[in-house]
Amino acid sequence: MSDHNLQQAYSIRGATDAKALYDDWAASYDNSFGEKHGYIAPREIAAVFRAQDAGDTPVLDIGAGTGLLAENLPDYAVDGIDISQAMLDQAAVKGLYRNRICADLTQTLPMADGSYGGFVSSGTFTHGHVGPEVFPELFRVARPGALFVCGVIPPVFDGAGFGSRLALFTAHRMITPVSFHDIPIYENADHGHAQDRGLVMVFRKL
């Protein structure tokens, strides 16, 4: 069991690095990162989803990890997808998720078309992880009208091309216009990223 840090997470490059890091970090993640860093983005994103929800279930938690977001949606039918089986095993210990799916988001997903009415994500659209290239496959498994509530950090939103890709999706009437919420990522923290803010992208599949 190893304790890792945010800088290591931001430094990964692709699926192989991500799996190795999170498999090793899984057993201590909730304590060494979630609690120690005051990580509240999952709570904030869940609150946005609740405010927008119109019966948009079941929900897919994109990059589910140990289930920090699902803990804030206890009355929803939620499936979790993550590249790290070890992280999903930690979620299982907590009794989280209807189904836990170990898969690479950049590949074809092992779910049927139109399986989900809602999508949430925290900590996945970030440095070194995944970008907007995963949306077309997520749209495939989304029902018409499905609600997407996904967190992203502003430097990645700009650097990974989220703005232009979402604009194209909107122009081609694949999604509704995107609205944004500005959220704190951490609270009661004094580490180097304590004042970082996040964006929550909110839209529906057309």
Side-chain angles (χ1 to χ4, degrees):
M1 180 180 73
S2 297
D3 287 348
H4 294 280
N5 60 49
L6 190 60
Q7 199 56 48
Q8 288 174 290
Y10 280 177
S11 298
I12 66 173
R13 292 292 179 268
T16 301
D17 283 358
K19 185 179 185 305
L21 174 72
Y22 288 109
D23 279 352
D24 193 49
W25 200 358
S28 65
Y29 183 85
D30 285 2
N31 178 262
S32 67
F33 178 67
E35 295 178 16
K36 185 176 179 181
H37 281 70
Y39 183 50
I40 60 164
R43 182 190 76 195
E44 298 297 302
I45 292 166
V48 175
F49 184 85
R50 287 178 174 279
Q52 300 286 334
D53 172 43
D56 301 298
T57 58
V59 179
L60 183 66
D61 185 355
I62 306 161
T66 62
L68 295 180
L69 204 163
E71 288 175 359
N72 292 278
L73 295 172
D75 47 346
Y76 286 79
V78 185
D79 290 352
I81 186 168
D82 200 275
I83 200 168
S84 168
Q85 184 63 52
M87 295 288 272
L88 292 172
D89 289 346
Q90 292 298 313
V93 170
K94 294 186 278 187
L96 295 171
Y97 299 117
R98 186 184 64 166
N99 297 296
R100 290 170 295 278
I101 304 155
C102 188
D104 182 346
L105 289 163
T106 66
Q107 304 300 314
T108 301
L109 301 179
M111 295 93 88
D113 295 358
S115 295
Y116 295 97
F119 295 77
V120 293
S121 182
S122 178
T124 298
F125 296 117
T126 189
H127 296 293
H129 289 55
V130 297
E133 71 277 1
V134 304
F135 278 128
E137 183 65 4
L138 292 171
F139 294 162
R140 179 186 67 78
V141 302
R143 295 200 303 255
L147 173 65
F148 283 74
V149 178
C150 300
V152 64
I153 58 174
V156 171
F157 183 87
D158 293 336
F162 278 90
S164 59
R165 190 68 65 91
L166 292 170
L168 284 169
F169 293 150
T170 305
H172 289 282
R173 295 197 55 77
M174 297 171 67
I175 64 171
T176 61
V178 183
S179 63
F180 296 92
H181 296 256
D182 174 32
I183 62 165
I185 300 175
Y186 309 100
E187 72 176 3
N188 301 324
D190 59 3
H191 53 79
H193 291 275
Q195 302 306 313
D196 287 2
R197 306 285 298 185
L199 290 174
V200 184
M201 307 173 287
V202 181
F203 58 87
R204 290 182 179 273
K205 175 189 171 182
L206 291 174

